[in-house]
Structure formats: C-alpha cells, structure tokens
Amino acid sequence: MSEVPFHYIDLRVFCYDTEADSRVADALGHFLPEDVEIERTDSEGHLGDRIGVLSTRVERADDMRHVLDQLRDGADIEQIRDQLDERVDDNCSLFVHLDKQAAYLGDAQLGDGISLRAKVEAYPAKKDAAVENARDALAD
C-alpha cells in the first residue's frame, strides 16, 4: 500500500487507579512506532478516583502504515472489514474499539479499552467513498 487513505489516526486509552500506567502505555504502544509520543492527561472519576487518559495522533504516512499493519495482523480484522458500513460515520471517520489486555499481550482484538478513530480521505467526502477507501486500506 503506497498511499494511506487517512488524514490521521487517533488512539486513546483510559488508565484507571487499579492499573499500572506503564502496562497501559505498553498496550497503546503495541499499535505505535517507537518514535511516536504518547500524551497523558489526568482526570477524575465520579467518585474522585484518578483516571489517566493516554492518547496520541498519528499523521505521518509511515506511522499510519504501522498502525494499520498492527490492526491488519489482529485476530478480528475480517470482522472489522465486514462491519465497515457500521464503523464509518457520515463524517468519514472510522471507529474501532480494541481490547486493552490483548494489545498488552501483542494482539489486536475487538473489545474495550483502546479507542481508534481514523479520519478517512474521501473525495467527495461521502460515507460510501470513505467505506471503500477504508476497505482498501485494511485489505491484505
């Protein structure tokens, strides 16, 4: 895949008080090249518990290729491809929720924990064109 049909890819994960920050960062890092920086923002839960928000935006084509390669190598890539009509919204954004524990163990599986949002390039900016571009990007 020479061209990457995305403007950017955002990844975000919550780190709760009961979790080790380094392990949550490692789970997010599974999808990222080594030189991509992860930002941390601290927040507070309803009961006053600490919640860290780890996030990053990937905009360089090579970095986006890396994220897509990690996603493509995952166990649930066929399910993601089959559900693209539901996963791409009218604003041409692709949404995938990935299992945090599986990512920590080196796999990309659908689940809870890590949110991936990718802004799909589509001209004209229509959902159908975005779905086809996302389908091409996620093909083997």
Side-chain angles (χ1 to χ4, degrees):
M1 167 177 48
S2 58
E3 291 189 32
V4 180
F6 295 101
H7 295 287
Y8 57 83
I9 300 174
D10 288 331
L11 291 150
R12 183 182 68 190
V13 63
F14 294 111
C15 179
Y16 299 99
D17 247 351
T18 58
E19 298 175 312
D21 289 2
S22 62
R23 289 184 177 201
V24 175
D26 287 347
L28 185 60
H30 168 70
F31 296 98
L32 302 172
E34 288 183 25
D35 62 338
V36 172
E37 203 171 303
I38 297 174
E39 295 179 17
R40 179 187 170 87
T41 306
D42 287 319
S43 188
E44 189 174 293
H46 181 69
L47 300 174
D49 51 324
R50 178 192 64 87
I51 301 173
V53 181
L54 306 178
S55 62
T56 189
R57 175 171 281 190
V58 178
E59 296 178 302
R60 292 186 356 211
D62 287 342
D63 294 344
M64 286 190 282
R65 279 188 201 95
H66 181 88
V67 173
L68 293 173
D69 286 344
Q70 295 303 104
L71 192 59
R72 259 189 244 105
D73 290 342
D76 294 331
I77 190 63
E78 290 301 322
Q79 185 177 354
I80 293 169
R81 285 188 199 122
D82 291 343
Q83 296 173 344
L84 282 174
D85 285 331
E86 295 86 34
R87 293 183 176 280
V88 176
D89 68 6
D90 290 334
N91 293 321
C92 301
S93 292
L94 166 67
F95 294 92
V96 180
H97 296 280
L98 301 158
D99 186 271
K100 189 185 327 183
Q101 182 67 31
Y104 177 73
L105 297 173
D107 194 11
Q109 294 182 19
L110 294 174
D112 293 327
I114 300 175
S115 299
L116 180 148
R117 176 181 175 259
K119 184 69 171 180
V120 184
E121 290 180 354
Y123 304 103
K126 303 282 184 188
K127 179 179 177 174
D128 292 340
V131 167
E132 286 310 308
N133 287 345
R135 190 176 320 282
D136 291 344
L138 295 174
D140 288 333

